[in-house]
Amino acid sequence: TMRIAMGGASGILMSIFFAEIGNLQKLNSSILDILNNTIIKIKKRGKVKVGDKSILDVYVPIFNYLENNNRYQIDNIMKLIDDSVNKTKIMEAKVGRAKFLETKGVGVIDPGALSTSMILKEFFKERNNEENI
């Protein structure tokens, strides 16, 4: 439903994470597995790489942080998500519709990165709550 409502590449790329979360319990996947699979699929379907000013610029730093830290602090995750989104502000868009703005988009946060940050923040808050029960 989300893919259809959002339309275009945004709907497809945004829904990849939700599809992967479905594997969390079903396939006994870890959060790292989910993020890794999400990143691989976004790169393939979106033809995007880190630094192109996209949702990938949020997923990859989170994945890297978790890969290098066995236990994470929720405050560090929230700060990293915010920092990752803010970094898109200085980037020039190289993919999607925003690439047609050329340098006019510099100074503006990527909307996909911002919406991804909201989803990831809520996901990690909930995971943190579950772990502290």
Side-chain angles (χ1 to χ4, degrees):
T1 303
M2 186 173 84
R3 286 181 192 180
I4 294 167
M6 288 180 75
S10 299
I12 293 167
L13 297 178
M14 186 67 75
S15 64
I16 290 171
F17 179 68
F18 291 108
E20 289 300 321
I21 288 176
N23 295 326
L24 189 58
Q25 292 179 352
K26 182 172 45 174
L27 300 176
N28 202 20
S29 294
S30 71
I31 294 172
L32 273 176
D33 294 332
I34 289 166
L35 290 172
N36 188 49
N37 290 337
T38 299
I39 290 166
I40 289 168
K41 290 177 181 178
I42 289 171
K43 284 180 177 180
K44 182 178 178 183
R45 290 186 185 152
K47 296 175 181 51
V48 63
K49 62 186 184 309
V50 173
D52 284 348
K53 193 171 186 167
S54 74
I55 65 177
L56 202 57
D57 295 305
V58 178
Y59 282 113
V60 170
I62 297 301
F63 174 80
N64 291 340
Y65 172 82
L66 293 174
E67 188 175 46
N68 294 311
N69 295 282
N70 291 336
R71 295 285 299 159
Y72 65 86
Q73 297 290 324
I74 191 70
D75 294 339
N76 292 347
I77 290 283
M78 296 301 142
K79 182 175 179 347
L80 180 57
I81 291 171
D82 287 339
D83 290 348
S84 299
V85 169
N86 286 328
K87 283 181 183 176
T88 68
K89 196 173 191 176
I90 61 170
M91 296 176 183
E92 183 178 333
K94 297 189 174 91
V95 294
R97 285 172 263 174
K99 73 180 175 188
F100 298 111
L101 292 173
E102 298 173 344
T103 59
K104 294 176 193 161
V106 175
V108 178
I109 289 173
D110 180 66
L114 181 60
S115 56
T116 297
S117 76
M118 293 174 192
I119 292 166
L120 287 175
K121 281 182 173 184
E122 292 307 313
F123 173 77
F124 282 105
K125 284 179 193 174
E126 188 58 33
R127 292 289 298 175
N128 190 58
N129 289 340
E130 288 176 9
E131 291 174 5
N132 291 323
I133 291 178

